Amino acid sequence: MRFDVTTHRCIIVIDQHLSAGLAMNAASVIGIGFGRLTDNLVGPDMQSQDGVNYPGVIAAPLPVLLAAGDYLRELHGVSEADEELVAMPFSALAQSCRTYEEYGERIAATPSGQIELVALGLIGPKKKITRLSGNLKLYR
């Protein structure tokens, strides 16, 4: 997907019962995934007046919101059915693994209906994202 700041919006939705440490982990992982999946989301490097380089950051606001776990699964279902939405699901299973290899083995052996989502990143048209997330509280 090619992100257009004028027409797209991105959000991260965290399970409201997740501890602060696990919530920050989930948001970080989703942010990295967004950068990998989405062209034009990260802006160019910037330089300070004295020439120090500051690597590019996300070119749009990225609110982190709270929702119940059931709503995360619902959002994921909606995103899977809509070609205009890009989803980055993050599971409790992923957070419980010590290595990427362990994660790969465990997720491959688990039906998706049994995978508990603890966070979900969404990117898509502003109106669609707002309709799906407009009633969610900001993570504070």
Side-chain angles (χ1 to χ4, degrees), residues 29-123:
V29 170
I30 289 172
I32 290 169
F34 273 174
R36 180 174 171 250
L37 290 173
T38 310
D39 293 332
N40 204 43
L41 184 61
V42 177
D45 291 358
M46 301 288 180
Q47 286 74 40
S48 65
Q49 183 181 24
D50 56 350
V52 175
N53 191 63
Y54 290 85
V57 298
I58 191 166
L62 179 57
V64 178
L65 308 169
L66 292 170
D70 290 345
Y71 193 61
L72 286 172
R73 184 160 299 287
E74 183 181 330
L75 282 175
H76 188 234
V78 167
S79 68
E80 290 289 297
D82 189 329
E83 292 180 0
E84 289 188 301
L85 298 176
V86 173
M88 180 76 194
F90 190 64
S91 67
L93 188 150
Q95 284 189 319
S96 71
C97 295
R98 295 192 180 267
T99 65
Y100 199 73
E101 291 75 22
E102 177 188 358
Y103 171 56
E105 291 169 8
R106 289 184 57 199
I107 203 157
T110 308
S112 62
Q114 294 178 11
I115 297 173
E116 175 191 3
L117 295 182
V118 294
L120 180 71
L122 287 176
I123 299 176

Side-chain angles (χ1 to χ4, degrees), residues 14-36:
I14 304 286
D15 185 317
Q16 63 194 11
H17 299 295
L18 211 56
S19 70
L22 291 176
M24 294 304 99
N25 171 260
S28 298
V29 170
I30 289 172
I32 290 169
F34 273 174
R36 180 174 171 250

Side-chain angles (χ1 to χ4, degrees), residues 118-130:
V118 294
L120 180 71
L122 287 176
I123 299 176
K126 286 182 178 183
K127 286 183 182 182
K128 285 187 180 186
I129 297 294
T130 299

Side-chain angles (χ1 to χ4, degrees), residues 7-20:
T7 60
H8 291 114
R9 184 165 187 225
C10 50
I11 60 170
I12 296 175
V13 185
I14 304 286
D15 185 317
Q16 63 194 11
H17 299 295
L18 211 56
S19 70

